[in-house]
Amino acid sequence: MKRPKLKKASKRMTCHKRYKIQKKVREHHRKLRKEAKKRGRKKPRKDPGVPNSAPFKEALLREAELRKQQLEELKQQQKLDRQNERNKKRKLETDPDVKLSNTEPVTEELGQRKAKKAKTSKQNPKRLYCQELKKVIEASDVVLEVLDARDPLGCRCPQVEEAIIRGGQKKLVLVLNKSDLVPKENLENWLSYLNKELPTVVFKASTQQKDKRKRIKVKKKAALSKSEVCVGKQGLWKLLEGFQKTSGKAIHVGVIGFPNVGKSSVINSLKQEQICSVGVSMGLTRCMQLVPLDKQITIIDSPCFIVSPLNSAPALALRSPASIEVVRPLEAASAILSQADAQQVVLKFTVPVFTNSLEFFTSFAQRRGLHQKGGSPNVEGAAKVLWSEWTGAFLGYYCHPPASWTPPPHFNESIVTDMKWGFDLEELEKNNAHSIQAIKSPHLASSILFQSSGLTNGVIDEKDIPEELPKQKKQEQESYEDVKTDQGIVDEEGDDESLAMSPAEEACETLSEKSRADKQSAPSFVLDKMTEEEDDVYDFSTDYV
């Protein structure tokens, strides 16, 4: 066994090693002296002062002396102020009734800010969205309603359009974004249908803009990918520029729409920079954001519309500003699947023919390799994938426009003509035709036919949005609904018992059942050990209550 070291290792060394180190140090110093000699020593320059031949020498010297005195006085004053501040702080520590005069306005301001922040944090985010949307509509001269070209009618909100019309001299323009995901014939049909009401622009936003913070080297001859190309930018720009010239003043352009229609992507494409945050998750934009395009046109980004709970299940699944974790995935995906053509879904996702949604999700999970522990297909995971693909910007599907055009109740002929005034519609038509030719659209056979649920109702007044329940009440309500759906009709007494039982008590009950089962199967010498361990276990149920 090695003896432990009781003291630090000695720094003693051989004379040969010590002399060698000293020699190296001397050589190093000699080298430094040599280099300094070559460079030459730079002496600090002496202040020559004011020459005797200079005019007004005495006045200049007097001014310099005065300046010197003023600086010294200022230093002394600052020193006294610091000392007084320290004395005041000491007095405040000893006597709490004395208050500092300088800190009073600062503390008041901080208090106001904290109160404001607490108020906004307590407020329902949906109500904040409504407030911000109202601000955008009020501040805008022209409002761009961004629609998903795959379901343009489902992306229109009659309540918001009515609010814009009531706002006075405001223009409403429709922007058909994601035009590259629908067949050309379908896009032309929708364009002719929507042009009867409002000026409509065919648009395809670029999903890859330049970020100011990152500089990426790009080859000169490298061809741009499909996602990098923006189509319809020139048409929209000319439309806004023409209206600005006819109005003869600087204009504000508000961009509004349901979640995931590509509002921020349209702004980024117009600006050719990644200014507004974009992503797969819904409702990323939470407040209005001003983006100047040039000296005369300023674009305002806005949060999404809030969907009314009175809408149909497919509309709620597609237009709700929430993540799939909040929305029940099976219900949402089943509602979407019920509106799609089953035969085309089978061909698109390469799954066998199905009779119900559960059967489809089972085969879809097996196809995508989504499995749970034990090898069973992850049906919920498959529903999440379908929901995210359907609301994303890659899956191609389309809806047929209505056979006959009927104006909505909030529109009439005078409003339609008023909305079209000030825009060069002939030039817009040419630009739209050019955009449709430039877009690489999918074939009609490879797209899925989707049955639109019509106009989606929204909530514009924050008073109509109910206050959110506390988290505990919400969880209890959800668990109660789950029990009802799983077990069917349950007696009133059974329901009361399930609601009264807390999560901790349930956990304890399951543990006790498990221990009883173990006791029955365990031998006698193990039972003694188990009873000893049970005595040491802390009762969580009493602590929770």
Side-chain angles (χ1 to χ4, degrees):
M1 187 178 170
K2 199 174 182 180
R3 289 179 68 186
K5 287 183 180 179
L6 300 172
K7 59 181 181 178
K8 287 181 181 178
S10 175
K11 290 182 182 178
R12 289 173 71 182
M13 63 178 78
T14 58
C15 292
H16 174 73
K17 196 176 181 181
R18 188 165 66 250
Y19 295 148
K20 198 176 180 181
I21 291 163
Q22 286 171 5
K23 190 183 175 183
K24 288 278 181 189
V25 169
R26 280 197 302 273
E27 280 175 8
H28 177 67
H29 287 314
R30 198 184 298 123
K31 193 180 178 182
L32 289 175
R33 281 198 301 272
K34 245 184 186 179
E35 283 173 4
K37 203 174 182 181
K38 279 178 187 176
R39 284 198 303 270
R41 290 180 185 177
K42 289 181 180 178
K43 290 180 182 178
R45 282 189 175 184
K46 213 174 185 181
D47 185 20
V50 184
N52 291 326
S53 59
F56 313 111
K57 182 186 174 180
E58 288 178 4
L60 286 167
L61 287 167
R62 225 179 289 119
E63 275 180 22
E65 194 66 37
L66 276 166
R67 211 178 293 119
K68 200 176 180 181
Q69 281 178 4
Q70 281 172 1
L71 282 167
E72 282 177 7
E73 282 172 12
L74 188 71
K75 280 180 182 177
Q76 287 291 327
Q77 189 64 40
Q78 284 173 350
K79 197 176 180 181
L80 283 165
D81 288 342
R82 281 197 295 271
Q83 206 169 349
N84 289 332
E85 199 70 35
R86 278 195 220 103
N87 292 334
K88 279 180 183 178
K89 280 180 182 177
R90 282 184 196 131
K91 279 180 185 177
L92 189 71
E93 283 170 9
T94 52
D95 189 11
D97 298 329
V98 179
K99 288 185 180 179
L100 286 168
S101 59
N102 295 341
T103 55
E104 274 179 8
V106 179
T107 49
E108 280 177 19
E109 197 179 335
L110 283 166
Q112 284 173 3
R113 279 182 189 175
K114 281 180 181 177
K116 196 177 180 183
K117 201 175 182 182
K119 196 180 178 182
T120 51
S121 63
K122 282 179 185 177
Q123 204 172 355
N124 190 338
K126 288 182 180 179
R127 289 189 174 189
L128 288 169
Y129 284 8
C130 288
Q131 287 170 12
E132 290 295 315
L133 186 66
K134 278 183 179 178
K135 284 179 194 174
V136 171
I137 293 166
E138 282 170 18
S140 303
D141 300 304
V142 180
V143 180
L144 302 178
E145 189 176 9
V146 183
L147 313 176
D148 193 332
R150 297 173 290 184
D151 183 14
L153 208 64
C155 294
R156 288 184 69 179
C157 182
Q159 286 79 15
V160 175
E161 287 179 8
E162 200 174 341
I164 292 161
I165 292 160
R166 277 194 270 106
Q169 299 297 318
K170 294 183 192 298
K171 304 291 176 187
L172 182 64
V173 178
L174 303 176
V175 179
L176 274 174
N177 194 25
K178 302 182 186 178
S179 302
D180 59 321
L181 299 174
V182 293
K184 278 186 183 179
E185 303 85 15
N186 184 256
L187 186 62
E188 284 168 357
N189 292 339
W190 271 113
L191 190 63
S192 60
Y193 177 83
L194 295 168
N195 270 327
K196 290 172 184 174
E197 268 178 60
L198 295 162
T200 311
V201 183
V202 173
F203 202 88
K204 188 258 162 189
S206 171
T207 53
Q208 291 181 5
Q209 284 84 26
K210 293 175 196 172
D211 197 344
K212 283 182 177 180
R213 293 162 287 183
K214 295 175 186 177
R215 288 185 180 181
I216 304 159
K217 289 181 181 178
V218 183
K219 291 178 182 178
K220 288 180 181 177
K221 292 181 181 179
L224 291 168
S225 66
K226 193 184 175 185
S227 60
E228 287 175 351
V229 179
C230 173
V231 180
K233 178 194 161 185
Q234 197 177 358
L236 184 57
W237 188 279
K238 281 180 179 177
L239 189 78
L240 296 172
E241 213 170 29
F243 179 75
Q244 186 271 317
K245 283 174 184 174
T246 51
S247 61
K249 60 170 186 176
I251 58 165
H252 287 83
V253 182
V255 181
I256 60 169
F258 278 106
N260 265 25
V261 291
K263 300 182 292 295
S264 301
S265 296
V266 168
I267 295 167
N268 290 343
S269 299
L270 288 169
K271 189 70 179 171
Q272 289 184 327
E273 284 175 9
Q274 197 169 347
I275 287 169
C276 303
S277 55
V278 290
V280 179
S281 55
M282 290 185 169
L284 275 174
T285 309
R286 297 188 179 185
C287 57
M288 64 185 285
Q289 186 182 351
L290 293 163
V291 180
L293 284 183
D294 59 10
K295 288 179 182 178
Q296 301 298 326
I297 302 167
T298 306
I299 283 195
I300 311 168
D301 193 11
S302 70
C304 57
F305 301 155
I306 301 300
V307 186
S308 172
L310 303 170
N311 284 300
S312 61
L316 289 169
L318 288 167
R319 311 280 169 237
S320 295
S323 61
I324 192 65
E325 280 74 25
V326 178
V327 179
R328 288 179 180 178
L330 270 170
E331 287 180 16
S334 299
I336 292 164
L337 201 67
S338 64
Q339 300 294 104
D341 190 289
Q343 196 176 350
Q344 288 174 342
V345 167
V346 166
L347 291 167
K348 185 75 178 177
F349 295 105
T350 57
V351 290
V353 179
F354 58 92
T355 51
N356 55 27
S357 59
L358 192 68
E359 198 178 320
F360 167 78
F361 291 129
T362 307
S363 54
F364 184 59
Q366 287 170 346
R367 176 76 184 165
R368 293 287 177 98
L370 301 166
H371 298 289
Q372 290 177 333
K373 283 182 182 178
S376 58
N378 188 357
V379 176
E380 199 167 319
K384 281 182 185 180
V385 169
L386 184 83
W387 183 86
S388 61
E389 282 188 12
W390 212 276
T391 54
F394 298 103
L395 185 73
Y397 65 90
Y398 66 98
C399 302
H400 286 306
S404 59
W405 179 75
T406 50
H410 56 275
F411 270 96
N412 55 41
E413 286 181 11
S414 63
I415 290 165
V416 168
T417 52
D418 188 45
M419 285 289 172
K420 288 179 180 179
W421 182 87
F423 294 114
D424 192 349
L425 297 174
E426 287 179 7
E427 194 179 0
L428 177 65
E429 197 176 338
K430 286 175 187 175
N431 289 323
N432 281 339
H434 180 71
S435 299
I436 290 166
Q437 283 179 352
I439 289 167
K440 291 180 180 178
S441 305
H443 292 290
L444 201 70
S446 63
S447 297
I448 301 166
L449 179 64
F450 186 76
Q451 193 180 348
S452 178
S453 52
L455 296 166
T456 307
N457 293 312
V459 181
I460 197 164
D461 196 3
E462 59 265 23
K463 290 174 186 176
D464 298 335
I465 295 166
E467 286 187 13
E468 283 188 335
L469 291 163
K471 284 186 179 179
Q472 288 181 349
K473 284 183 182 178
K474 230 177 191 180
Q475 284 170 1
E476 283 177 6
Q477 199 174 4
E478 283 173 7
S479 64
Y480 177 65
E481 283 172 8
D482 288 336
V483 166
K484 277 188 86 176
T485 51
D486 290 338
Q487 293 180 359
I489 300 161
V490 186
D491 295 330
E492 287 179 10
E493 291 175 6
D495 282 344
D496 294 335
E497 283 173 14
S498 66
L499 283 166
M501 195 178 286
S502 67
E505 286 174 347
E506 283 177 13
C508 290
E509 198 173 37
T510 51
L511 283 167
S512 61
E513 282 173 12
K514 197 178 180 183
S515 63
R516 277 186 219 123
D518 290 340
K519 277 181 184 178
Q520 284 172 8
S521 60
S524 59
F525 68 88
V526 178
L527 282 168
D528 298 330
K529 184 72 178 173
M530 283 171 79
T531 48
E532 282 174 19
E533 285 175 357
E534 278 176 6
D535 293 336
D536 298 332
V537 172
Y538 183 75
D539 191 6
F540 288 95
S541 61
T542 53
D543 188 44
Y544 186 84
V545 175

